[in-house]
Amino acid sequence: MADVAHPTEPVWRSRGRTRRSTRTLRMCSSAVIALAAVLAVLVVPPLVHLDQQAVDLSQKLLPPSWEHPFGTDDVGRDLLLRCVYGLRISLLVGVVAALVATVVGTVVGAVAAALGGWTDRLVMRLVDVFSSVPHLLLGIFVVAMFRPGVWPVIASVAVTHWLSTARIVRAEILSLRSRPYIDAAISGGASRLRVTVRHLLPGVLPQAGLAAVLMVPHAMWHESALSFLGLGLPSHQASLGNLVQSARGSLLAGDWWPTLFPGLLLIVPTLAVAGLAGAWRERLNPRRRSELTL
């Protein structure tokens, strides 16, 4: 009887290679989409010398064509240009709000973990109180106190999204406080402030950066929800939420493109940013990455 050839490598390794290649493909495609979105909002407005607010009722609700790849809206404005401007506003709100929320959450979490005792308990109880209020409801309350605009929306998103970062930073600092080099620094006479600034904060910056990246898609959706409800940006200003909101009547009339393309420009870039954040998270946690490749 002929000898049966046995595989020289375990089966799980081939599956691990397949998963690694799939993860690499997902990361590369996410990076390409995110880069294309950034280049579009930076390059298209200066190169295309068209007024995105120009109204031409003779061109209203034209379907997608070579002249208008995304078609036109209900007052004849080019939808591709409007979507690019809307994506720029949404990215601006998402990035700035994520940075502000990350800085606030990092400071609050670091102060709570470094001081400990009653300060830690008081700060975390305040975090729990804020967490008990739905984000959207609290965001509506913040926006309602100001005139519609970009900065009230950024403030609304930042105020409602620092809580998770504060919890992450606090948990990471509490874990770092048990490390031998922290004990050595304290035994050497380093003050609590010096230990926090020189040893604890650098250890939590990668986790805080990851939280900021993950917060960008969430902030973009939050801004779109507020604009869709008519509480975010002014209706004449292009944002993805405003574009979807203004296209509701066209959708009911059977004109699908004013709703489809702004929705795609909201979904696809946020998925790309989430994919990049997932790859970053796997690099920050080698144990989890090794488990995924088995």
Side-chain angles (χ1 to χ4, degrees):
M1 180 181 296
D3 295 335
V4 179
H6 295 282
T8 58
E9 295 183 355
V11 176
W12 63 268
R13 290 188 179 179
S14 62
R15 278 185 290 181
R17 285 197 299 269
T18 302
R19 291 181 181 180
R20 282 194 295 270
S21 62
T22 303
R23 187 168 62 250
T24 302
L25 177 61
R26 184 174 67 248
M27 184 179 64
C28 292
S29 60
S30 299
V32 170
I33 293 173
L35 181 61
V38 173
L39 289 178
V41 300
L42 293 178
V43 174
V44 171
L47 292 181
V48 180
H49 301 288
L50 294 176
D51 184 9
Q52 53 115 3
Q53 299 285 3
V55 175
D56 186 0
L57 295 179
S58 64
Q59 300 290 318
K60 69 175 183 179
L61 292 177
L62 294 179
S65 61
W66 287 110
E67 184 179 2
H68 302 286
F70 284 7
T72 60
D73 61 6
D74 55 350
V75 292
R77 295 173 293 192
D78 183 76
L79 197 56
L80 174 58
L81 192 60
R82 295 274 294 170
C83 286
V84 171
Y85 275 92
L87 180 60
R88 184 171 66 172
I89 293 296
S90 296
L91 281 176
L92 173 66
V93 172
V95 171
V96 176
L99 290 177
V100 174
T102 301
V103 171
V104 174
T106 301
V107 171
V108 172
V111 169
L115 296 180
W118 65 268
T119 303
D120 183 22
R121 292 191 293 271
L122 176 61
V123 171
M124 296 316 296
R125 296 295 79 77
L126 291 177
V127 170
D128 293 338
V129 169
F130 275 99
S131 299
S132 64
V133 181
H135 286 177
L136 186 58
L137 182 60
L138 184 58
I140 291 174
F141 175 76
V142 173
V143 171
M145 295 189 299
F146 304 94
R147 296 181 60 183
V150 174
W151 295 110
V153 175
I154 291 176
S156 168
V157 177
V159 165
T160 57
H161 287 74
W162 61 271
L163 306 171
S164 58
T165 304
R167 287 197 177 98
I168 292 172
V169 171
R170 174 182 176 271
E172 192 69 18
I173 289 182
L174 289 178
S175 175
L176 292 175
R177 283 174 56 180
S178 61
R179 303 292 175 85
Y181 68 91
I182 300 296
D183 295 334
I186 295 176
S187 301
S191 64
R192 183 174 297 180
L193 178 62
R194 182 178 178 85
V195 170
T196 303
V197 175
R198 293 291 301 274
H199 300 288
L200 295 179
L201 281 180
V204 302
L205 287 182
Q207 296 290 343
L210 175 60
V213 175
L214 286 171
M215 205 178 300
V216 171
H218 197 181
M220 292 177 63
W221 280 92
H222 198 97
E223 178 274 326
S224 298
L226 289 175
S227 298
F228 184 82
L229 294 174
L231 300 171
L233 275 67
S235 58
H236 68 274
Q237 190 169 5
S239 74
L240 296 179
N242 278 342
L243 293 178
V244 175
Q245 195 274 341
S246 62
R248 289 184 301 171
S250 302
L251 181 63
L252 295 176
D255 301 320
W256 48 269
W257 55 92
T259 304
L260 175 65
F261 292 113
L264 287 178
L265 282 185
L266 177 62
I267 294 173
V268 175
T270 53
L271 289 179
V273 175
L276 292 176
W280 187 359
R281 180 171 51 196
E282 292 173 12
R283 289 184 178 275
L284 286 179
N285 194 341
R287 180 179 178 182
R288 182 176 182 271
R289 182 178 58 181
S290 62
E291 291 172 353
L292 289 175
T293 58
L294 293 178

